[in-house]
Amino acid sequence: MAGPLLETKFHIPRRRRGLVARPRLSERLDLGEESALTLVSAPAGFGKSTLLTDWLTGWQAAAPAGERSVAWLSLDQRDNDPALFWTYVATALDSAVAGVGAGALTLLQASQPPAETVVATLLHDLGAVPTDVLLVLDDFHVIESRDVREGVTFLLDHLPPRTRLVLAGRADPALPLARLRGRGELVEIRAADLRFTPDEAAAYLNEVMGLELTARDVAALEERTEGWIAALQLAALSMQGRDDAAGFIAGFAGDDRYVVDYLAEEVLQRQPERVRSFLLQTSFLNRLTGSLCDAVTGQDDGRAMLEALDRGNLFLVPLDDRRRWYRYHHLFADVLQARLLDEQPDEVRDLHRRASAWYEQDGERAEAIHHALAAEDFERAADLVELALPALRKGRQEATLRRWLEALPDELFHVRPVLTVGHVSSLMVSGEIEGVEERLRQAERWLHPTTDRADEMVVVDEEGFRTLPTAIAMYRAGTALVRGDVAGTMTHARRALDLAGEDDHLARGAPAALLGLAYWTSGDLGASSRLYADAMSSLERAGHHSDVLGCAIALADMRLAQGRLRDAMGLFERGLQRAEQSRPVLRGAADMHVGLSQLLWERDDLDAARRHLQASSELGEHLGLPQNRYRWRVAMARVREADGDVDGALDLLDEAERLYVGDYSPDVRPVAAVRARAWLRQGRWGEALRWARERGLSSDDELSYLREFEHVTLARALVARYAAERSERSIEEATGLLERLIRAAEDGARTGSRIDVLVVQARAAQARGDVPAALSSLRRALSLAEPEGYVRTFVDEGQPMASLLRALAKDGNGGGYVRRLLAAFDGTEVSRPVSERLVDPLSARELDVLRLLGTDLDGPDIARELVVSLNTVRTHTKNIYAKLGVSSRRAAVRRAEELGLMSRPRARQPLR
């Protein structure tokens, strides 16, 4: 973070002169060593910040140098922007412990990640620190953002053992305090604790303020103020130089607010006019320094005045050790501002305007905008916001940008095309497209203005205006893609490419990618992959290396649909090499590891797949794109299922679905469909069909590439239902759907999809008992899969696929590839004992009953055969149905055949 003003946000306020020792409170704060959160909560004027400043000095001094670090952050209303809040938190931590927070800052600068991702990155860094770290968030009561509060809650729930959080504010924060209190992880200091005791009041009034009051006067004053520190300080300032202290103490009474107003007025009235004028004219400034005060007041004694006020303990809080930056005590500032509005209402806007000019000259554009808006100098504010647009986009501070833009009158946008398109960009980041086209047309009118209105246009960012036509076309392409208008996306993206200069690589990269996404959505993977390769090349030349990695993920997904596993592997390997060779490591490196793990899983190299997933996890979420959180869980779910941990795999898929973050890429493999396939591998076809109904899928749907994976999943579910219940309608629907799907995949040159469909066709024919047809489909799938090294696509089909592969090998048509696939079944469910294949294995007696269920015997005959009662047979049958996940005798027999628990049923005469 640049700029001396921002540095004051992270600087522990200077310890005040003549503080009263308060060991009882220091001891309470020391108890926080074993607690995650220390909360100092009290109204204004109770000395919260002063107490913490004093305690921290002793806390750090009590340990060897470097063993205890403090990160301090002073908050204000603008910190409700989540990106800004976490940027400041990361900066504060990095200032306290070098390297902690650096990853989070990289993440925040490259995208707009979820708060949990940023916090997880900070926690990863903090967990590696071998010393004590204290993070202090002062004035936390100003935080109203739910997103920020949820992020802080996540931080609290996962703090490493040697990290503590301290919150100071005027009210209890909306955090799970009761839960923390119940677990003994909360230390609380409240107003009742902070009030001065009679002894502390006496020490302050007489020793610090030099009043020489009698014990009776001190007791009366302490009773009137109830130990409220701000009131005591104001009273002490008011009594300095008075002879009748007792009479003064008897002269005021009332509630807290009245006391402060009364005493503050007393203090103001006792100041020389020059000091009083200075206090009023600078009261609206959040932070004060000499040159800023000079600019606002029009005088040249700002620094000297601040130092004099500091020496006089006149409610001025020093913010750094260089005696450069200060702030007024909040209560005192409130009184001063009220008096300023009462006495000089017409001067307030001009004072803000002067402050804005100073901040602009000092390079603090955010503060300059804040004061321009407060001055209602909207023209100036609009100029400053327009100039700030590139930096705000780069810093992903969309919430701040939205707040500023929404504070400007609508009529300003009518003549400011660059600012208008900036507003469009802030809307589209959050997926809002309503009103976007109207704003784009509003900006577009100024590209060719009529001669009588040309001089009305206002542009302060000339480069932004030069690239406006390209930006307008690009945003139109983006809105069309969000609406599902593929043709519109193509039209506008092509126009953006035509308008962008040949050497304007950044301007060419984005529309090329959007055009590629449109072709991908329509299923034309040849065109989409060529365009995405062009986009990657343009972004590489523009120096946007992290964006190149993002494009590599999308292009690899296209290669997978094309069945080109080797090409996808190359993309991920080159991306990982590029990411790891950069300093710092590029964001997206974690995604490269996840992509490699998916390909290694397909090749059945599960150990290597696990290593890459572990490497991705160790890099931390700050080195992954937002989508990596759910992609990682989908990839790990596949590995877990291959290991036999079915429940663990489903839990990961549920979590992946919750964490899913969409972008402009088509969601061609929805997590819910991946989970439905996992259900099918467990024989839970009923749940898979219920999912299909909820998705509105049917075998008669018009096919599209966007739903191809889902339709193949539906076909799998229909085949599974036929295998369990012999439903002719199900197999007919599945067969017809699969025939249409294979034609669509062939027309789109989607070899990966063709392999998927052919495998299901083989299973469908096998279920019907048509082994020749099953082997024919399987041979076609194998011929496409062998060059790329597919393995899990076949192994995950289980025993039925193993049977077909053995049939090919027996006929001598399998070759080495079939033998490799059969070898891959070793160690899988198919090669394990039958009793280990079920979550709840069948007992020996249940296996006896199951075998007889496959005969012509009825219940009483089975009871006689096994020499048990009919009720016992019924109990065993009920247990068998539950363990196999079926609801009928026929379904139980079919499931048992699939698991290899019994051979084909044969006729058997009842025992007489």
Side-chain angles (χ1 to χ4, degrees):
M1 303 296 293
L5 174 64
L6 285 178
E7 289 177 6
T8 63
K9 290 182 70 69
F10 316 118
H11 201 99
I12 303 173
R14 218 160 26 101
R15 197 181 187 198
R16 300 296 303 278
R17 300 184 183 91
L19 287 173
V20 174
R22 310 187 76 185
R24 62 186 179 88
L25 296 182
S26 296
E27 290 171 5
R28 177 83 65 87
L29 288 170
D30 287 338
L31 294 175
E33 290 282 356
E34 304 301 323
S35 302
L37 175 63
T38 296
L39 176 65
V40 183
S41 178
F46 274 87
K48 300 181 290 295
S49 300
T50 303
L51 171 68
L52 288 174
T53 301
D54 185 42
W55 172 71
L56 287 172
T57 302
W59 182 76
Q60 284 189 287
E67 283 296 309
R68 290 178 171 178
S69 303
V70 178
W72 180 287
L73 176 58
S74 299
L75 299 168
D76 57 49
Q77 286 287 348
R78 284 162 289 185
D79 298 329
N80 280 286
D81 179 338
L84 207 56
F85 177 87
W86 291 111
T87 295
Y88 287 155
V89 169
T91 302
L93 287 168
D94 192 39
S95 300
V97 185
V100 173
L105 288 171
T106 300
L107 178 63
L108 286 158
Q109 290 163 5
S111 68
Q112 191 178 21
E116 284 190 11
T117 302
V118 178
V119 177
T121 304
L122 293 172
L123 291 168
H124 180 270
D125 290 349
L126 288 167
V129 177
T131 56
D132 293 328
V133 180
L134 202 67
L135 173 60
V136 183
L137 302 180
D138 195 21
D139 290 331
F140 193 78
H141 61 272
V142 302
I143 298 301
E144 301 170 347
S145 165
R146 179 178 177 180
D147 290 340
V148 172
R149 293 198 303 262
E150 288 178 351
V152 173
T153 299
F154 184 81
L155 177 71
L156 271 172
D157 287 342
H158 300 86
L159 278 178
R162 301 198 68 171
T163 302
R164 294 163 53 196
L165 179 63
V166 177
L167 300 182
R170 300 182 187 179
D172 281 3
L175 299 174
L177 299 182
R179 187 179 73 202
L180 292 167
R181 192 179 293 118
R183 295 196 309 221
E185 294 183 0
L186 175 64
V187 169
E188 300 170 83
I189 293 182
R190 300 190 170 276
D193 307 305
L194 289 165
R195 294 183 190 278
F196 270 176
T197 64
D199 288 342
E200 290 170 342
Y204 174 74
L205 292 167
N206 290 331
E207 296 174 18
V208 176
M209 302 303 291
L211 293 180
E212 300 182 357
L213 299 180
T214 66
R216 179 176 295 179
D217 288 340
V218 170
L221 191 55
E222 195 276 333
E223 182 181 357
R224 290 292 179 92
T225 61
E226 296 183 347
W228 189 23
I229 299 169
L232 281 170
Q233 185 176 1
L234 284 165
L237 289 169
S238 299
M239 286 187 290
Q240 285 179 338
R242 289 181 183 269
D243 295 328
D244 185 14
F248 174 82
I249 293 170
F252 73 86
D255 60 24
D256 289 349
R257 184 72 255 177
Y258 174 84
V259 170
V260 168
D261 289 346
Y262 174 82
L263 293 175
E265 289 295 335
E266 281 286 319
V267 171
L268 272 179
Q269 289 173 12
R270 293 171 61 81
Q271 302 305 316
E273 180 57 33
R274 186 172 62 88
V275 174
R276 188 174 186 278
S277 177
F278 179 89
L279 291 171
L280 293 180
Q281 290 181 336
T282 59
S283 63
F284 66 95
L285 296 171
N286 293 322
R287 292 173 177 84
L288 307 103
T289 192
S291 57
L292 170 59
C293 293
D294 289 344
V296 169
T297 63
Q299 304 298 319
D300 59 1
D301 59 349
R303 179 171 180 174
M305 184 69 75
L306 290 171
E307 291 174 353
L309 293 174
D310 184 23
R311 287 193 299 273
N313 281 324
L314 200 61
F315 284 88
L316 197 67
V317 180
L319 296 177
D320 59 22
D321 294 325
R322 292 173 292 177
R323 302 169 68 87
R324 184 183 177 197
W325 286 95
Y326 302 83
R327 69 168 173 84
Y328 290 123
H329 189 288
H330 298 309
L331 270 178
F332 195 51
D334 290 345
V335 174
L336 292 175
Q337 289 168 24
R339 177 55 56 192
L340 174 66
L341 288 171
D342 185 51
E343 294 182 7
Q344 306 173 36
D346 297 334
E347 298 295 321
V348 174
R349 290 185 183 179
D350 190 50
L351 293 172
H352 276 293
R353 193 175 292 110
R354 294 177 198 171
S356 178
W358 185 90
Y359 277 120
E360 182 187 11
Q361 186 176 6
D362 198 52
E364 302 288 352
R365 192 167 282 158
E367 288 290 332
I369 292 170
H370 165 71
H371 285 288
L373 290 171
E376 298 184 6
D377 188 347
F378 297 122
E379 292 285 349
R380 174 181 178 78
D383 288 350
L384 292 168
V385 172
E386 184 171 319
L387 291 172
L389 283 172
L392 289 167
R393 288 171 181 150
K394 184 177 181 180
R396 297 299 194 264
Q397 295 180 30
E398 281 81 9
T400 296
L401 176 58
R402 283 284 292 273
R403 188 177 71 250
W404 286 343
L405 292 171
E406 289 170 359
L408 296 173
D410 285 341
E411 55 266 23
L412 276 180
F413 292 94
H414 297 164
V415 295
R416 292 175 175 265
V418 177
L419 197 65
T420 298
V421 173
H423 200 177
V424 166
S425 71
S426 73
L427 293 170
M428 293 196 64
V429 164
S430 56
E432 296 180 44
I433 61 173
E434 184 178 353
V436 162
E437 179 57 29
E438 180 184 352
R439 293 182 182 277
L440 291 176
R441 289 178 182 172
Q442 187 180 94
E444 196 172 35
R445 284 197 293 268
W446 292 105
L447 297 178
H448 305 287
T450 58
T451 54
D452 60 333
R453 293 199 63 196
D455 58 348
E456 296 178 20
M457 181 174 68
V458 180
V459 171
V460 292
D461 181 4
E462 294 293 342
E463 178 61 20
F465 183 73
R466 183 188 69 79
T467 60
L468 212 55
T470 304
I472 289 172
M474 183 188 68
Y475 286 126
R476 280 193 172 130
T479 56
L481 191 62
V482 172
R483 290 196 302 266
D485 180 3
V486 174
T489 303
M490 292 180 175
T491 298
H492 295 303
R494 287 194 183 102
R495 173 166 172 74
L497 282 172
D498 291 340
L499 291 169
E502 287 296 327
D503 296 329
D504 195 346
H505 302 301
L506 183 59
R508 297 190 67 81
L514 286 168
L515 188 55
L517 290 173
Y519 276 109
W520 186 9
T521 301
S522 64
D524 188 346
L525 299 182
S528 67
S529 57
R530 286 192 297 274
L531 284 159
Y532 242 75
D534 290 344
M536 288 176 63
S537 178
S538 294
L539 292 169
E540 181 76 49
R541 292 174 185 171
H544 283 234
H545 302 299
S546 287
D547 290 332
V548 172
L549 296 187
C551 288
I553 297 168
L555 184 54
D557 283 344
M558 297 175 201
R559 296 303 191 207
L560 290 173
Q562 291 174 311
R564 296 165 61 175
L565 303 189
R566 298 181 192 280
D567 287 350
M569 182 77 78
L571 282 165
F572 286 129
E573 287 173 342
R574 289 190 296 275
L576 182 59
Q577 184 179 24
R578 178 187 290 112
E580 291 184 338
Q581 287 178 349
S582 298
R583 289 294 176 270
V585 175
L586 288 179
R587 186 164 179 261
D591 304 74
M592 299 298 104
H593 280 295
V594 171
L596 286 168
S597 77
Q598 292 173 314
L599 292 163
L600 290 163
W601 165 83
E602 177 58 59
R603 292 182 174 178
D604 203 35
D605 190 348
L606 300 182
D607 288 339
R610 287 188 204 93
R611 285 196 297 272
H612 277 286
L613 288 171
Q614 180 63 28
S616 176
S617 181
E618 289 173 355
L619 281 175
E621 292 189 348
H622 67 286
L623 287 177
L625 301 175
Q627 292 74 27
N628 196 51
R629 302 176 75 207
Y630 86 86
R631 282 177 173 266
W632 187 94
R633 286 159 176 79
V634 171
M636 181 57 83
R638 288 169 170 162
V639 174
R640 290 272 177 87
E641 187 179 3
D643 288 338
D645 183 4
V646 176
D647 290 339
L650 288 173
D651 287 344
L652 281 167
L653 291 174
D654 289 342
E655 193 174 347
E657 190 172 36
R658 289 195 299 272
L659 294 174
Y660 175 78
V661 176
D663 55 10
Y664 286 94
S665 298
D667 186 16
V668 293
R669 286 177 175 251
V671 176
V674 175
R675 182 176 54 216
R677 293 196 178 196
W679 285 336
L680 288 168
R681 286 189 288 272
Q682 298 175 64
R684 295 161 63 178
W685 53 267
E687 291 173 74
L689 284 173
R690 184 165 58 252
W691 158 81
R693 285 194 298 271
E694 290 171 355
R695 289 287 295 154
L697 295 168
S698 80
S699 58
D700 298 325
D701 288 340
E702 181 179 347
L703 300 183
S704 69
Y705 172 61
L706 270 181
R707 307 199 74 180
E708 187 171 74
F709 187 81
E710 291 180 299
H711 277 120
V712 177
T713 306
L714 170 61
R716 287 178 173 275
L718 291 170
V719 172
R721 181 180 183 181
Y722 171 76
E725 295 188 344
R726 293 300 174 187
S727 168
E728 291 298 328
R729 179 179 176 183
S730 293
I731 199 65
E732 288 172 3
E733 289 180 355
T735 301
L737 178 57
L738 288 167
E739 288 174 354
R740 292 196 298 133
L741 285 167
I742 195 66
R743 285 196 298 271
E746 288 171 349
D747 292 343
R750 297 189 294 274
T751 301
S753 299
R754 290 172 65 192
I755 294 170
D756 193 17
V757 176
L758 287 167
V759 165
V760 185
Q761 281 189 323
R763 290 291 310 278
Q766 182 186 33
R768 292 196 312 267
D770 189 349
V771 175
L775 294 178
S776 175
S777 294
L778 180 56
R779 287 190 191 95
R780 292 172 61 194
L782 292 170
S783 67
L784 296 171
E786 182 176 5
E788 299 294 329
Y790 283 83
V791 176
R792 295 303 312 185
T793 290
F794 299 96
V795 172
D796 280 358
E797 297 298 320
Q799 177 64 38
M801 179 57 65
S803 299
L804 290 175
L805 290 169
R806 291 191 190 101
L808 282 178
K810 185 177 181 180
D811 292 343
N813 297 321
Y817 184 44
V818 170
R819 288 193 295 274
R820 287 197 302 274
L821 290 177
L822 284 171
F825 277 94
D826 293 339
T828 66
E829 177 182 285
V830 173
S831 65
R832 292 198 296 270
V834 166
S835 60
E836 296 180 10
R837 298 181 208 165
L838 297 173
V839 175
D840 188 3
L842 299 179
S843 67
R845 183 51 97 183
E846 286 167 352
L847 286 169
D848 291 337
V849 173
L850 176 61
R851 294 186 186 100
L852 293 175
L853 289 175
T855 68
D856 296 332
L857 300 181
D858 60 14
D861 290 334
I862 293 174
R864 283 191 289 271
E865 181 79 15
L866 298 177
V867 195
V868 296
S869 70
L870 181 57
N871 281 338
T872 298
V873 170
R874 287 172 176 165
T875 299
H876 286 316
T877 302
K878 182 179 179 181
N879 291 339
I880 291 167
Y881 288 178
K883 292 179 179 182
L884 295 180
V886 298
S887 58
S888 69
R889 180 170 179 169
R890 178 183 295 177
V893 172
R894 178 61 58 187
R895 178 68 173 141
E897 290 173 2
E898 291 176 352
L899 291 171
L901 295 171
M902 59 188 295
S903 57
R904 289 274 179 184
R906 57 188 178 84
R908 177 165 180 170
Q909 296 298 317
L911 183 67
R912 299 299 181 190

